Amino acid sequence: MVTKEVEAAPGLKTKLSVDNVSMTYKRDGKLTHVLENVNLEVSDGEFVCLLGPSGCGKTTLLNTMAGFLTPTSGTIQVNGEAVRGPDPRRIFVFQERGVFPWLTVEGNIGFGLSKLTKPEREQRIAHYVKMVGLQGFEKSYPAELSGGMKQRLEVARALAVNPDMLFLDEPFGALDSITRLVMRSELLRIWQAERKTIIFVTHDIDEAVQLADRVVVMSARPGTIQQIVPIDIAHPRDISSQHYLELRDGIFKQIGLAHQV
Amino acid sequence: MNSLAAPQRWEKIFWPLVATALLLLLWHFSVIWSGTKIFPSPRDVGRGMLELFRHHVLWADIRDSVRRVLIGFGIAAVLGIPMGLLLGWYPAANQVVNPVMQILRPISPIAWIPVAIIFFGIGDRAAVFLIFLGSFFPIVVACINGVSNVPSVFRRAGRNFGLTPMQLLTRVVFPAALPQILVGLRIALGIAWLVVVAAEMIAVDSGLGYLVIDSRNSGKRYDLVIAAILLIGVIGLILDLIFRSLERLKPLRWGFRNVA
Ligand SMILES: Nc1ncnc2c1ncn2[C@@H]1O[C@H](COP(=O)(O)OP(=O)(O)OP(=O)(O)O)[C@@H](O)[C@H]1O
Ligand SMILES: [Mg+2]
């Protein structure tokens, strides 16, 4: 049931391809091999979760995909073109909160929209304020928002520039479990409405299996792709169904954790 | 009152008043017990203060001092902020300029008084120049530190939205560094107020610093000396409070702890 699959789902256009990417950090003369020969293809509109233990290189891989880091070797292509740097068509939502504390909710969402005319911008802001449920907080500053609201704000700021890819680095990691559940279904709703390609980093197995079309399981450092698990369950997913549990337990075994506490 | 409980409103006013009253009492009795003939008592100083206000020179002196500070400090801010931002933004440029700055920075502006007088003669411009020197370096250094302390996540977010380097500097790095820059400006203003008094004792013939030295020289009026010193303290405090109120502005408030 757990199959090794590197190619994108058949019949769909390849959006992102990662070829033989390795990454070595050099700090104080010490080399750290973080990624080793990572190969991955993601098709247009796909929702992929990167899952792996802390420190295995998920953030590093995501940074190379988004163009913030250049891999030591290997290539990364988006739409068949090599990635040369960050691009507003591909927005990164950071593990450490990236909303700008000196701007209001409106200011943050409108940050990437300076090329639009004022009415267009206002309309776009209003649309995404509503989409992430921040109505009534347009003039609030991030310090006045809860953790979950800040996270939604950052997602809204990313969506507002209408990117075709989103890189989400443990976006819900710092939230309580109830807010996380709500945010997951919000994200799925947005993804289904806008059909962006999403690469979502998490170290929560349940989160990965609930969200993803495919779960990419990474090994501990140096990070390699251990397994790619397609989650062939339609949304909304019944998380008590036999198939869901099988897939989840398969990944638990893959990571080497017994299904017991 | 423990450190966790927020003080009550009345406490915020009451306790400082008590402390001030105790200090005045201490001063009063020290003057009596020591039997000094030179040092004035609080009551003498109060009378001296009224005299100063009645003769109207005081307002002109206050105006002159504040004007010099605002001009010198203003020029320092207008030149120092862009310079500090650029030096923080281009570490290579900073490495070139840094040694010179590190040598100039620890020199007390007072040491420049003779130089200022050669350049500008006795007068306003010498004083303004000294204030400028005193406040310029703290502003530049605060900007450099502010820029280099901007969390990289903000810079990456800015780049991600396609900003040019110049836009990144003005739309991300500057607002992110602004709280630290503001702290630098506040320190610089404090220094400017220290320097103006010193400069006015030597380089000009008006202002609060001149009032202090003139009251001593023309008739040893120590009651007026102390009155002028107290006024310098109060005006310095007011300038600082005005500046501190900026910390409450919402686009800045996130950068300050302990601001309600
Ligand atoms: N700039 C850097 N210089 C040197 N080493 C780094 C650097 N950034 C990350 N590393 C190292 O690379 C490894 C992978 O880091 P990375 O942030 O990609 O892990 P991660 O999978 O995202 O972990 P987590 O789940 O905890 O966020 C870590 O061991 C880290 O110490
Ligand atoms: Mg990470």
Side-chain angles (χ1 to χ4, degrees), chain A residues 23-28 30-35 52-63 69 95 169-170 201-203 218-219 221 223:
Chain A
M23 185 73 199
T24 304
Y25 283 116
K26 191 171 174 187
R27 181 174 270 178
D28 307 326
K30 214 180 101 222
L31 298 177
T32 319
H33 299 287
V34 179
L35 297 174
S54 182
C56 74
K58 304 182 294 295
T59 298
T60 304
L61 179 58
L62 210 59
N63 268 306
L69 284 175
Q95 191 171 7
D169 192 358
E170 299 197 36
V201 164
T202 177
H203 51 225
M218 293 177 67
S219 68
R221 213 180 59 223

Side-chain angles (χ1 to χ4, degrees), chain B residues 83-99 101 144:
Chain B
M83 179 167 164
L85 289 177
L86 288 174
L87 290 179
W89 191 236
Y90 297 107
N94 191 23
Q95 279 181 356
V96 175
V97 181
N98 198 39
M101 276 222 316
I144 294 176

Side-chain angles (χ1 to χ4, degrees), chain A residues 164-199:
Chain A
D164 36 53
M165 284 190 85
L166 280 180
F167 299 103
L168 305 168
D169 192 358
E170 299 197 36
F172 310 146
L175 305 180
D176 66 273
S177 54
I178 294 171
T179 314
R180 289 178 79 143
L181 281 176
V182 176
M183 296 287 292
R184 275 176 213 162
S185 54
E186 296 279 292
L187 181 64
L188 279 175
R189 182 174 59 78
I190 291 169
W191 173 64
Q192 282 163 338
E194 308 226 330
R195 282 292 155 184
K196 318 267 181 214
T197 309
I198 294 183
I199 317 282

Side-chain angles (χ1 to χ4, degrees), chain A residues 63 68 86-88 90-92 94 96-102 111-112 114 141 144 157-158 161, chain B residues 152-163 167 171-173 175-177 250-254:
Chain A
N63 268 306
F68 286 109
D87 191 300
R90 308 185 286 273
I91 299 291
F92 199 112
F94 299 93
E96 333 87 287
R97 297 240 161 75
V99 293
F100 298 130
W102 58 88
F111 184 84
S114 39
Y141 283 81
E144 302 160 280
R157 184 180 70 181
V161 295
Chain B
S152 78
V153 62
F154 294 151
R155 265 186 248 192
R156 281 185 287 159
R159 277 175 64 203
N160 203 169
F161 286 100
L163 300 193
Q167 289 173 321
R171 293 187 61 200
V172 174
V173 174
K250 287 196 165 183
L252 293 168
R253 193 149 82 178
W254 61 273

Side-chain angles (χ1 to χ4, degrees), chain B residues 37-259:
Chain B
K37 293 275 173 303
I38 305 168
F39 201 86
S41 73
R43 205 179 316 153
D44 299 334
V45 171
R47 256 185 253 128
M49 190 101 67
L50 284 179
E51 191 184 322
L52 286 176
F53 274 107
R54 264 200 306 271
H55 285 87
H56 295 294
V57 281
L58 187 61
W59 291 114
D61 283 329
I62 292 177
R63 212 182 329 110
D64 281 350
S65 293
V66 170
R67 189 193 62 234
R68 287 172 190 136
V69 162
L70 290 185
I71 296 174
F73 173 80
I75 297 174
V78 166
L79 296 180
I81 293 174
M83 179 167 164
L85 289 177
L86 288 174
L87 290 179
W89 191 236
Y90 297 107
N94 191 23
Q95 279 181 356
V96 175
V97 181
N98 198 39
V100 181
M101 276 222 316
Q102 295 304 335
I103 292 172
L104 292 178
R105 197 157 73 99
I107 302 172
S108 161
I110 313 298
W112 290 94
I113 288 181
V115 180
I117 292 178
I118 295 175
F119 281 163
F120 301 105
I122 298 277
D124 248 15
R125 289 204 291 170
V128 167
F129 172 71
L130 292 168
I131 292 160
F132 165 79
L133 272 184
S135 38
F136 181 68
F137 293 110
I139 292 175
V140 173
V141 170
C143 291
I144 294 176
N145 290 339
V147 170
S148 42
N149 289 340
V150 172
S152 78
V153 62
F154 294 151
R155 265 186 248 192
R156 281 185 287 159
R159 277 175 64 203
N160 203 169
F161 286 100
L163 300 193
T164 63
M166 207 53 213
Q167 289 173 321
L168 200 57
L169 190 60
T170 54
R171 293 187 61 200
V172 174
V173 174
F174 177 69
L178 200 51
Q180 276 203 53
I181 294 174
L182 199 70
V183 171
L185 288 173
R186 223 184 106 204
I187 292 170
L189 187 63
I191 294 176
W193 191 244
L194 292 177
V195 171
V196 72
V197 173
E200 285 169 347
M201 288 181 163
I202 300 171
V204 277
D205 54 8
S206 70
L208 291 167
Y210 177 75
L211 178 63
V212 171
I213 207 75
D214 188 51
S215 304
R216 185 207 165 270
N217 291 344
S218 55
K220 298 218 186 324
R221 290 292 305 273
Y222 283 100
D223 54 337
L224 300 187
V225 170
I226 301 292
I229 288 178
L230 286 180
L231 273 171
I232 290 169
V234 170
I235 296 171
L237 177 69
I238 292 171
L239 287 179
D240 195 57
L241 286 178
I242 293 174
F243 229 85
R244 286 202 82 152
S245 65
L246 292 179
E247 293 175 8
R248 284 165 198 279
L249 294 179
K250 287 196 165 183
L252 293 168
R253 193 149 82 178
W254 61 273
F256 296 94
R257 251 179 254 213
N258 302 326
V259 177

